[in-house]
Amino acid sequence: MYLYCPKSSSRNDPEIPGRIIAQKAVQLLRPNTTFYLDSGSTTTALARLVPDDSYLIFTNSVSCVTELSRLKVPRVTMPGGVLNRYSMSLCGTQSIQAVQKTNFDLVFLGVTSYADGLGFSCGVEEESFLKQAVMRRSEQVVVLMDSSKIGLKSTYTICDLPDVDIVISDGNLPEAFLEACRKHNVTVY
């Protein structure tokens, strides 16, 4: 499925794409589900919008946990690990072991970049391993990515386009990327 979203005027304010993406992503949440929120500014924007409903929420993000702490009903779990001060997230062997025992309905992945032939990537090897472990345990993989990340590359590959089910973006994705999504049956919001 492919949904067209008109171009937004988000290029002047770097926070607007994240809010646009988060508003689309929150619509995927259903009560009584288990989901994983990855680290990053867009997942933090999503955490701000999560309704106070019955969810099991897992996250490695300090900023997401801070935003989710306002909620009374969901159970919020943060697996242990080593603090990445740049992304304010926990990762490492302890985090990976914790998520390998959990079944997720959804994972909301933050990525640093996407390039043809290289896929989605990030700059920290341990984070790429954690993202891959969560993806293996999730029924549905949702990538949250603004259009500025297309055509860039980072050091560590997370996955390729056919490995995801949904890409949620700001409505400014290039036509070549949209065509690749159609080819691989990736839904775009």
Side-chain angles (χ1 to χ4, degrees):
M1 175 184 196
Y2 166 74
L3 297 176
Y4 173 76
C5 294
K7 291 187 183 234
S8 67
S9 60
S10 61
R11 296 183 193 269
N12 298 332
D13 183 347
E15 289 188 20
I16 290 176
R19 286 196 303 261
I20 292 169
I21 294 165
Q23 288 168 349
K24 294 176 185 180
V26 76
Q27 296 176 37
L28 296 178
L29 297 179
R30 299 291 175 262
N32 303 310
T33 57
T34 301
F35 64 91
Y36 185 90
L37 278 178
D38 194 12
S39 62
S41 59
T42 304
T43 53
T44 301
L46 173 56
R48 280 186 203 109
L49 299 178
V50 171
D52 198 8
D53 212 333
S54 59
Y55 306 110
L56 293 176
I57 305 170
F58 290 76
T59 183
N60 67 317
S61 168
V62 175
S63 59
C64 285
V65 164
T66 301
E67 293 295 336
L68 295 168
S69 68
R70 68 180 165 73
L71 303 174
K72 306 256 187 278
V73 179
R75 180 174 177 191
V76 179
T77 301
M78 186 172 205
V82 178
L83 178 64
N84 174 338
R85 285 178 178 82
Y86 177 75
S87 66
M88 291 306 294
S89 65
L90 301 176
C91 62
T93 305
Q94 190 176 2
S95 300
I96 292 168
Q97 288 173 343
V99 300
Q100 287 175 335
K101 300 173 187 173
T102 308
N103 300 313
F104 301 101
D105 297 300
L106 285 166
V107 55
F108 294 98
L109 281 183
V111 299
T112 305
S113 57
Y114 175 84
D116 267 346
L118 300 175
F120 298 99
S121 57
C122 67
V124 178
E125 185 175 30
E126 292 84 4
E127 287 189 9
S128 71
F129 294 152
L130 178 59
K131 293 171 194 278
Q132 292 165 357
V134 173
M135 289 175 64
R136 284 191 294 273
R137 304 298 300 183
S138 185
E139 285 185 34
Q140 199 165 42
V141 176
V142 181
V143 170
L144 307 178
M145 177 185 71
D146 72 71
S147 57
S148 71
K149 297 178 180 184
I150 299 289
L152 304 177
K153 69 175 185 173
S154 293
T155 308
Y156 301 100
T157 297
I158 301 162
C159 64
D160 208 350
L161 191 56
D163 301 318
V164 305
D165 301 296
I166 298 172
V167 171
I168 301 179
S169 191
D170 55 5
N172 295 312
L173 293 170
E175 185 55 40
F177 180 80
L178 295 173
E179 182 57 38
C181 289
R182 287 188 287 269
K183 177 181 173 188
H184 296 291
N185 296 314
V186 175
T187 302
V188 176
Y189 293 112

